[in-house]
């Protein structure tokens, strides 16, 4: 995101940031709190997100939201920005959102650690259908909002459905 894009802290422990355990490696895959791999892929600025200011999400809602939802919102913004489109100009249009989303295990991974005042947001934060609906709602799109989970082909099927919907006829 650009300087005006969604930024702000979520307090995630990431390499080089406070809270990151530099001694996280352990060759035993069953060792709790450790990783048996020496390398990993990390999103740049993954902890930077301004949910309330930029996307109209409350801080509690953002804590309970699957990171896929945040990435989908940011990617939608960046796609419009890269295409030279002003998101506000699309408000009320028949713009559709088609996304391939899978691995909805986020809620199960955080359920034991969710504060009581955040628990009411977990179901919505873990739903792929809410993820695409959140993009539509946030930007005011009035076209279809379709979440696709066909396992490994989810993104490909989502693109196919979007192209089919955009085709004349």
């Amino acid at each position: 995101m650009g300087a005006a894009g969604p930024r702000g802290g979520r307090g995630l422990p990431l390499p080089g940031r406070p809270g990151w355990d530099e001694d996280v490696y352990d060759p035993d895959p069953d060792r709790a709190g450790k990783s048996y791999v020496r390398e990993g892929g990390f999103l740049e600025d993954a902890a930077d997100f301004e949910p309330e200011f930029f996307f109209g999400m409350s801080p509690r809602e953002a804590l309970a939201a699957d990171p896929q939802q945040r990435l989908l919102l940011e990617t939608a913004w960046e796609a419009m920005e890269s295409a030279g489109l002003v998101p506000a100009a699309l408000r009320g249009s028949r713009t559709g959102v088609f996304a391939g989303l899978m691995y909805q295990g986020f809620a199960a991974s955080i359920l034991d650690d969710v504060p009581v005042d955040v628990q009411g947001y977990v179901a919505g934060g873990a739903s792929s259908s809410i993820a695409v609906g959140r993009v539509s709602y946030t930007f005011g799109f009035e076209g279809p909002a379709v979440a696709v989970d066909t396992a490994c082909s989810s993104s490909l099927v989502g693109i196919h459905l979007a192209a089919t919907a955009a085709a004349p006829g």
Side-chain angles (χ1 to χ4, degrees):
M1 303 297 305
R7 297 286 186 232
R10 276 187 61 160
L12 299 175
L14 297 169
R17 294 215 176 176
W20 179 259
D21 181 3
E22 295 295 335
D23 189 32
V24 74
Y25 173 76
D26 190 301
D28 181 1
D30 296 324
R31 185 87 179 253
K34 299 292 183 174
S35 174
Y36 64 95
V37 295
R38 291 184 185 271
E39 297 178 13
F42 297 93
L43 297 170
E44 185 178 328
D45 299 327
D48 297 341
F49 183 56
E50 273 185 294
E52 189 172 4
F53 172 73
F54 204 79
F55 293 119
M57 294 171 71
S58 74
R60 290 184 297 183
E61 189 177 14
L63 279 174
D66 186 321
Q68 289 186 94
Q69 289 193 16
R70 190 198 99 188
L71 290 173
L72 190 59
L73 283 165
E74 289 181 341
T75 302
W77 177 270
E78 288 180 1
M80 290 182 278
E81 191 176 64
S82 293
L85 300 171
V86 176
L90 295 174
R91 184 167 297 284
S93 72
R94 294 188 35 81
T95 301
V97 178
F98 295 81
L101 299 165
M102 56 184 281
Y103 300 122
Q104 283 85 33
F106 178 74
S109 73
I110 66 165
L111 210 44
D112 292 338
D113 299 323
V114 175
V116 173
D117 64 333
V118 175
Q119 290 176 357
Y121 296 98
V122 173
S127 169
S128 59
S129 59
I130 291 195
V132 293
R134 186 182 303 279
V135 173
S136 290
Y137 178 80
T138 298
F139 297 110
F141 301 156
E142 295 183 6
V146 180
V148 179
D149 183 350
T150 56
C152 296
S153 63
S154 298
S155 295
L156 181 62
V157 173
I159 290 170
H160 170 75
L161 291 173
T164 301

